[in-house]
Amino acid sequence: MSFRRVSDIDFDRLIGDRAFHPSPAAWEDEVLYFLMLDRFADGDDTTPMLTDADRDSAWRTEESKQQWQRAGTEWAGGTLAGLRGRLGYLSRLGVTAVWISPILKQAPRTNSYHGYATQNFLEVDPHFGRADELRDLVAEAHGMGIRVILDVVLNHAGDVFAYEDGDVRWDGRPHAVAGFRDADRAPTLPFGPVDAAAGPDAAVWPAELQDPGTFTAKGRIDNWDWYPEYLEGDFEGLKDIALGSGPTDGYRPSPALRALTRVYQYWIAYADLDGFRVDTVKHMDPGAARYFTSAVHEFAQSLGKENFYLIAEITGSREFAYRTLEQVGMDAALGLADVQDQMEWLVKGFRDPREYFGLFRDSLQLGKDSHTWFRNRVVTAFDDHDQVRKGASKARFAADDPGRKLGVAAIAFNAATLGIPCLYYGSEQGLDGSGPNDRYLREAMFGGEFGAFRSRGAHCFDENSRTYAQVARILALRRRLPALRRGRQYLRPISGNGVDFGYPQLFGGEMRSVLAWSRLFAGAEVVAAINTDPDQPRTAWVTIDADLDPAGGKLTCLFSTDPGQEGSQLPIEPRNGKAVEVTVPAAGFVVYG
């Protein structure tokens, strides 16, 4: 399979009478797992498992430290075949949808292992494998009950041309272009249609993108929140694509946007994909995003995918994301700074829980307004690959001592509260990368020169680790209990003495307490709680629904990170309406129903 133009693709032949994998009825039932393909699995089954000694021996010398750090800027070796070999690991964990970082062909002779610097939108990058390996991966994943979401980029291409004046910044005007880059990265080619003899590593493909009007050519962004700079500027060397013009309701898509939309329709049909995570939606005209959304949804529906999911990366506040979703019609938002920040620091005991739960007010009661979030309209997470919210200093959740102890509680909180939960790869093993830039968040699970925990040559796919085992149990519970996936959500008042009730609060800047909430679904209540104290169990009276739970009745422990509690019962007492006295293990999680 090799195309130079979108018009070369025979969609009728590609689709034929194939039966495509249907969409899920409800995406809130799914558990997402985001992985950077280059850093996940390389398919080498001979690599030893990481041991405690491997962790202790990391960075014994300054030379070994520098070697490990340099390796983090380069391709590490993860592949589609490697991921396919680890589908069982993900299935046993409880993952039902894998979100893969971009896999299309990157600008040659660059270390764009992350996949966001596309040079050829019609080919899979050879570092990752072949297009047929993507198709085979998706087919096997579907057979195991795992859907596949592909990360896609519309806003920009890779560093495919050079400016005459070198590194230029956005100042509102187009800059002169020296030419498209050839296969050796030199700007020797005309800034226009390129002869096929220049080779697949030159310029940009498909050929429809070689028209000079494809690119805004206005230089790099310096002010990321300044309009229209954040819409028109380049992401450093990544070249901004002109997607069209006009108001949202009357938007005129550019030929480049039409071509890219058709490209991604091709990948849906070719690989039988289940959804896209759309990169940098904030930096696209709303009209462009709406055009793409409509065209992709309609195409997917023609294949029988009635709920093909489009997840928009919209960094910033929930209010901005909600307005953007309403404009563009995508299905869910991801990358919300307030959601991620509040979740991380609430579980660690440094946020007022009312602030986090206030982000998810019940839409059935409040109606649709800027503070309303539906259970399937936001993807929730506490770690990701770039942590825009943290600025220059990056750190995974487990990078500090509370985070190492509270990792299971964080995943449990993510899985059992409103939203579509997403695990960032390695969280189930307690990966703890931190450093001055985002490379430290992207350790190689499979080992290699940039292994997890600053190690080399050892993988960490340990299904016997405490965190992995507990997370697998939590996600199995989520599958069994519809209330944890679909139920309305209420933060519950607690009490130490059974008389004075109130919401958990910070004392002296921190909160070491039981944090409890209820999920109500179809006339039944499930009560869940975590303990933000990483060292000691905590006990509290927890308010429950006064109408659903009969006085004199009992709640049964359906889950605990201390399995010895499971099956035990708590009497319902007439306190603050009705309440039960709950004990949560240190850094633990319990569910009663």
Side-chain angles (χ1 to χ4, degrees):
M1 180 199 69
S2 180
F3 304 111
R4 293 296 179 90
R5 304 184 64 87
V6 176
S7 57
D8 293 339
I9 303 171
D10 185 342
F11 277 86
D12 290 337
R13 181 177 180 183
L14 175 66
I15 295 169
D17 58 358
R18 292 166 57 196
F20 289 88
H21 196 67
S23 303
W27 276 91
E28 63 267 31
D29 290 345
E30 307 300 315
V31 175
L32 276 57
Y33 186 96
F34 170 42
L35 59 90
M36 299 207 75
L37 188 59
D38 180 63
R39 303 299 165 90
F40 186 65
D42 65 351
D44 185 353
D45 295 332
T46 66
T47 305
M49 185 173 308
L50 190 71
T51 66
D52 291 339
D54 293 325
R55 300 189 190 193
D56 295 340
S57 65
W59 289 5
R60 288 202 168 201
T61 66
E62 182 63 25
E63 181 182 2
S64 66
K65 176 180 179 179
Q66 292 179 3
Q67 183 176 356
W68 184 89
Q69 290 173 325
R70 283 195 302 271
T73 67
E74 301 170 352
W75 293 86
T79 63
L80 291 163
L83 169 56
R84 184 180 176 188
R86 292 294 181 182
L87 288 175
Y89 168 90
L90 296 176
S91 177
R92 290 184 289 275
L93 182 63
V95 169
T96 63
V98 59
W99 156 23
I100 307 172
S101 58
I103 64 168
L104 301 183
K105 187 172 179 293
Q106 299 296 285
R109 301 173 184 262
T110 62
N111 283 318
S112 52
Y113 65 87
H114 46 71
Y116 294 99
T118 311
Q119 179 259 340
N120 188 337
F121 290 85
L122 288 172
E123 297 286 347
V124 170
D125 194 285
H127 287 93
F128 299 135
R130 303 183 309 273
D132 64 302
E133 290 178 304
L134 171 64
R135 185 179 54 199
D136 293 345
L137 163 68
V138 175
E140 185 161 338
H142 286 164
M144 300 175 70
I146 297 175
R147 303 180 193 278
V148 179
I149 297 170
L150 187 63
D151 209 323
V152 301
V153 184
L154 289 167
N155 177 71
H156 55 264
D159 186 11
V160 296
F161 67 82
Y163 292 105
E164 286 186 357
D165 295 330
D167 182 23
V168 294
R169 68 168 299 274
W170 183 93
D171 61 7
R173 61 187 177 87
H175 295 274
V177 172
F180 277 124
R181 297 187 185 277
D182 60 26
D184 294 320
R185 308 290 300 141
T188 63
L189 300 174
F191 193 49
V194 172
D195 192 296
D201 289 342
V204 63
W205 301 92
E208 286 91 340
L209 300 183
Q210 292 170 6
D211 187 293
T214 293
F215 299 95
T216 56
K218 291 187 176 183
R220 60 178 165 78
I221 300 171
D222 276 352
N223 300 306
W224 293 88
D225 293 311
W226 182 266
Y227 175 88
E229 182 174 352
Y230 70 79
L231 289 178
E232 299 176 344
D234 299 337
F235 279 46
E236 299 296 337
L238 307 180
K239 299 305 193 287
D240 186 70
I241 294 175
L243 298 175
S245 61
T248 303
D249 287 338
Y251 196 77
R252 297 180 296 278
S254 68
L257 177 55
R258 292 182 183 276
L260 287 173
T261 300
R262 202 62 171 150
V263 163
Y264 287 122
Q265 290 173 339
Y266 162 74
W267 286 113
I268 294 171
Y270 177 81
D272 199 7
L273 298 169
D274 302 288
F276 288 149
R277 180 267 193 183
V278 185
D279 187 57
T280 57
V281 170
K282 170 185 174 180
H283 299 274
M284 298 166 55
D285 291 329
R290 179 187 287 186
Y291 171 82
F292 180 78
T293 298
S294 299
V296 166
H297 275 155
E298 289 179 8
F299 180 80
Q301 289 167 4
S302 76
L303 304 181
K305 296 177 180 289
E306 296 294 336
N307 201 7
F308 187 90
Y309 226 57
L310 291 176
I311 301 171
E313 184 204 22
I314 311 174
T315 54
S317 71
R318 66 192 185 281
E319 288 86 0
F320 174 74
Y322 186 80
R323 290 195 303 271
T324 302
L325 280 183
E326 286 291 280
Q327 283 184 298
V328 307
M330 292 189 185
D331 300 296
L334 174 140
L336 306 188
D338 46 9
V339 170
Q340 293 187 348
D341 185 78
Q342 290 284 348
M343 181 180 291
E344 175 175 1
W345 296 108
L346 172 56
V347 174
K348 288 182 176 179
F350 297 105
R351 289 287 189 278
D352 186 326
R354 287 171 293 186
E355 294 180 12
Y356 183 80
F357 282 85
L359 304 178
F360 297 87
R361 296 177 185 173
D362 179 27
S363 63
L364 295 178
Q365 292 185 356
L366 293 181
K368 192 164 71 172
D369 59 35
S370 62
H371 298 287
T372 297
W373 281 97
F374 308 111
R375 61 190 179 222
N376 61 352
R377 293 285 277 168
V378 58
V379 175
T380 57
F382 54 85
D383 264 341
D384 62 44
H385 63 305
D386 53 20
Q387 293 188 350
V388 173
R389 62 191 168 94
K390 292 187 178 179
S393 182
K394 313 290 186 178
R396 281 184 181 252
F397 182 91
D400 56 19
D401 187 61
R404 280 186 282 276
K405 295 175 179 178
L406 287 159
V408 171
I411 294 172
F413 186 77
N414 193 10
T417 52
L418 271 173
I420 304 171
C422 179
L423 293 180
Y424 183 47
Y425 81 97
S427 298
E428 76 283 1
Q429 298 292 347
L431 267 60
D432 64 351
S434 66
N437 57 59
D438 51 22
R439 96 178 70 154
Y440 297 94
L441 308 173
R442 304 172 178 184
E443 311 97 310
M445 285 276 286
F446 59 85
E449 293 298 302
F450 192 64
F453 305 104
R454 294 149 299 282
S455 67
R456 294 165 59 196
H459 76 77
C460 53
F461 295 100
D462 183 1
E463 297 188 29
N464 294 315
S465 73
R466 174 186 173 277
T467 302
Y468 180 98
Q470 290 281 28
V471 172
R473 295 179 62 231
I474 290 165
L475 297 184
L477 177 77
R478 189 178 190 273
R479 287 195 301 275
R480 293 197 304 271
L481 298 180
L484 291 183
R485 308 190 308 270
R486 303 189 183 190
R488 288 171 287 134
Q489 174 174 286
Y490 300 93
L491 175 65
R492 290 306 191 188
I494 63 170
S495 172
N497 59 15
V499 177
D500 304 302
F501 282 79
Y503 293 110
Q505 298 181 33
L506 276 66
F507 294 95
E510 64 180 3
M511 179 186 69
R512 300 296 168 220
S513 169
V514 170
L515 170 61
W517 64 97
S518 291
R519 302 293 302 271
L520 273 60
F521 184 73
E525 179 176 22
V526 171
V527 180
I530 61 170
N531 180 3
T532 64
D533 188 331
D535 301 311
Q536 300 293 332
R538 295 275 179 163
T539 299
W541 287 93
V542 175
T543 305
I544 61 175
D545 192 281
D547 296 324
L548 295 179
D549 301 297
K554 295 181 178 181
L555 294 185
T556 301
C557 183
L558 306 176
F559 179 92
S560 174
T561 45
D562 175 6
Q565 287 185 293
E566 294 178 3
S568 63
Q569 295 187 317
L570 301 177
I572 299 172
E573 299 195 12
R575 300 169 185 264
N576 196 37
K578 291 176 186 172
V580 290
E581 190 176 32
V582 176
T583 297
V584 187
F589 173 61
V590 298
V591 175
Y592 284 84

